[in-house]
């Protein structure tokens, strides 16, 4: 397996931590856009994995909260999935959660090749973290020493919530239409944006009034994602099932967090996840929707800080030793 190459595009100093942009080549050559905060010598790296139809900017509110709380001892890594944000497009056959797990490995090898890592995933990003644990079990407990699963699920996303409207026939029909008539579908998407924006707001956010800027950020990210990307990943989401491989995460510290008003991936999924991870702490954010990382950034940041503190305490006691890894 080839070692990815990180190409630094910019380097400047922000209020607290140095910030860098780079491009990492995935194993099949697809360019992955990466943004890091903090120096490479930091003793701990936290990697953030975004959700379906989102991008690095989905972490912006949370990132600002963490920047105000962490110093040079913690490095943060954000990146765009293939087909999302500033990363390159690829063949639709590679738009799977397993491939995203391999892309995550490429990012880690390029920008965090040594030292302990905490993975934090939101929505589909949480699923990518679970797939990574199955694909690279030797890294769990040795390199990956903590995990945050936000608004995620191990399986069954079509059984409850909005996922009930996803089924194989509808997804196949959408994918066929996008391939055969991309211009018509894109024009339809622009038209439907005005019609469905209230629905998007209801689905992404919870019961409390939300800052209009947050709604604008979320809606823009969702609508800027190419239709081919959006539709191609749906098949992998429908079939996703990592329940049999959750044991790979063993007893490493884990945060399982979701909003009580999430109708995209309802809170019951987080309950199931937490019940199967012995090192997990389950957090229910009352009134929050699927975009909990935007609408309740401060609360989520505090929980991530607590997770990292638990990780650091565990490392102090045990160290990132193979004996502390998950049993396979």
């Amino acid at each position: 397996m080839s070692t990815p190459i990180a190409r630094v595009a910019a380097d400047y100093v922000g209020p607290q931590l140095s910030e860098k942009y780079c491009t990492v080549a995935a194993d099949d050559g697809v360019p992955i856009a990466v943004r890091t905060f903090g120096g490479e010598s930091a003793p701990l790296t936290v990697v953030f994995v975004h959700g379906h139809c989102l991008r690095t900017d989905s972490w912006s509110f949370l990132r600002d909260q963490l920047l105000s709380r962490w110093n040079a001892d913690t490095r943060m890594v954000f990146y765009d999935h293939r087909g999302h944000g500033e990363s390159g497009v690829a063949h639709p056959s590679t738009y799977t959660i397993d491939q995203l797990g391999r892309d995550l490995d490429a990012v880690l090898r390029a920008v965090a090749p040594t030292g302990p890592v905490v993975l934090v995933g939101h929505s589909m990003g949480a699923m990518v973290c679970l797939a990574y644990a199955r694909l690279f079990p030797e890294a769990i407990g040795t390199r990956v020493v903590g995990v945050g699963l936000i608004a995620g699920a191990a399986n069954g996303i079509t059984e409850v919530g909005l996922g009930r409207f996803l089924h194989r026939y509808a997804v196949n029909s959408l994918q066929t239409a996008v391939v055969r008539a991309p211009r018509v579908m894109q024009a339809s998407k622009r038209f439907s944006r005005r019609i469905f924006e209230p629905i998007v707001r209801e689905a992404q956010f919870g019961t409390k009034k939300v800052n209009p800027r947050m709604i604008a950020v979320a809606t823009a990210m969702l609508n800027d994602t190419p239709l081919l990307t959006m539709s191609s990943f749906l098949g992998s989401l429908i079939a996703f099932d990592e329940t049999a491989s959750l044991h790979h995460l063993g007893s490493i510290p884990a945060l399982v967090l979701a909003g009580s008003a999430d109708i995209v991936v309802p809170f019951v999924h987080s309950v199931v996840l937490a019940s199967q991870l012995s090192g997990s702490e389950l957090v229910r954010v009352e009134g929050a929707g699927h975009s909990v990382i935007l609408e309740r950034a401060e609360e989520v940041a505090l929980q991530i800080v607590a997770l990292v503190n638990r990780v650091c305490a565990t490392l102090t006691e045990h160290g990132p030793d193979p004996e502390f890894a998950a049993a396979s």
Side-chain angles (χ1 to χ4, degrees), residues 137-170:
E138 69 283 354
I140 308 303
T142 53
R143 288 294 319 286
V144 176
V145 292
V147 63
L149 306 172
I150 302 174
N155 73 332
I157 67 167
T158 62
E159 295 175 5
V160 292
L162 287 183
R164 290 176 298 170
F165 298 103
L166 288 176
H167 52 81
R168 183 63 61 182
Y169 176 78

Side-chain angles (χ1 to χ4, degrees), residues 1-321:
M1 189 174 291
S2 62
T3 300
I5 300 174
R7 179 177 57 81
V8 175
D11 186 4
Y12 65 91
V13 177
Q16 291 180 303
L17 300 178
S18 61
E19 180 178 0
K20 292 182 180 180
Y21 293 90
C22 66
T23 300
V24 170
D27 292 333
D28 61 356
V30 175
I32 305 297
V34 181
R35 191 176 181 185
T36 66
F37 292 80
E40 296 179 5
S41 61
L44 179 71
T45 299
V46 185
V47 180
F48 295 84
V49 190
H50 70 75
H52 182 232
C53 291
L54 299 177
R55 58 194 301 171
T56 293
D57 289 343
S58 66
W59 299 105
S60 59
F61 290 85
L62 181 61
R63 183 190 66 229
D64 290 346
Q65 290 288 335
L66 293 172
L67 283 172
S68 69
R69 289 171 168 81
W70 281 339
N71 55 31
D73 288 339
T74 305
R75 185 177 184 227
M76 291 190 286
V77 174
F78 304 85
Y79 70 97
D80 291 333
H81 293 308
R82 60 177 57 210
H84 293 75
E86 297 181 1
S87 289
V89 298
H91 193 277
S93 64
T94 71
Y95 288 169
T96 67
I97 294 176
D98 272 15
Q99 180 59 57
L100 295 186
R102 298 184 185 96
D103 290 349
L104 170 56
D105 180 62
V107 170
L108 290 176
R109 285 184 281 122
V111 302
T114 60
V117 171
V118 173
L119 300 179
V120 178
H122 170 246
S123 190
M124 185 177 75
M127 300 176 189
V128 173
C129 294
L130 296 179
Y132 174 87
R134 170 176 50 82
L135 293 168
F136 304 96
E138 69 283 354
I140 308 303
T142 53
R143 288 294 319 286
V144 176
V145 292
V147 63
L149 306 172
I150 302 174
N155 73 332
I157 67 167
T158 62
E159 295 175 5
V160 292
L162 287 183
R164 290 176 298 170
F165 298 103
L166 288 176
H167 52 81
R168 183 63 61 182
Y169 176 78
V171 169
N172 289 343
S173 298
L174 174 61
Q175 291 171 341
T176 300
V178 169
V179 171
R180 291 184 178 178
R183 292 183 180 178
V184 173
M185 291 297 292
Q186 191 62 42
S188 174
K189 181 181 179 182
R190 288 193 296 269
F191 174 74
S192 62
R193 175 177 182 172
R194 296 193 299 272
I195 298 174
F196 290 106
E197 189 164 330
I199 299 175
V200 170
R201 182 185 303 115
E202 179 71 19
Q204 294 296 319
F205 298 99
T207 58
K208 294 184 178 181
K209 288 187 177 180
V210 180
N211 187 318
R213 180 178 169 227
M214 295 182 184
I215 295 173
V217 169
T219 303
M221 286 187 290
L222 289 167
N223 284 279
D224 286 345
T225 304
L227 274 171
L228 186 61
T229 296
M230 181 274 287
S231 61
S232 297
F233 275 107
L234 291 178
S236 186
L237 287 169
I238 289 175
F240 183 78
D241 188 346
E242 290 289 348
T243 52
S245 56
L246 287 175
H247 68 280
H248 289 302
L249 289 172
S251 59
I252 66 170
L255 166 67
V256 181
L257 180 149
S260 65
D262 189 339
I263 62 174
V264 179
V265 182
F267 185 75
V268 64
H269 283 293
S270 291
V271 174
V272 173
L273 264 177
S275 70
Q276 298 179 70
L277 300 175
S278 60
S280 70
E281 180 177 349
L282 177 64
V283 176
R284 173 185 172 107
V285 183
E286 292 298 330
H290 194 60
S291 288
V292 61
I293 61 173
L294 280 171
E295 60 174 310
R296 307 288 277 277
E298 183 175 5
E299 295 170 60
V300 177
L302 289 173
Q303 295 298 331
I304 292 176
V305 169
L307 168 65
V308 169
N309 289 342
R310 280 201 291 141
V311 168
C312 291
T314 301
L315 290 177
T316 300
E317 182 179 357
H318 299 283
D321 188 86

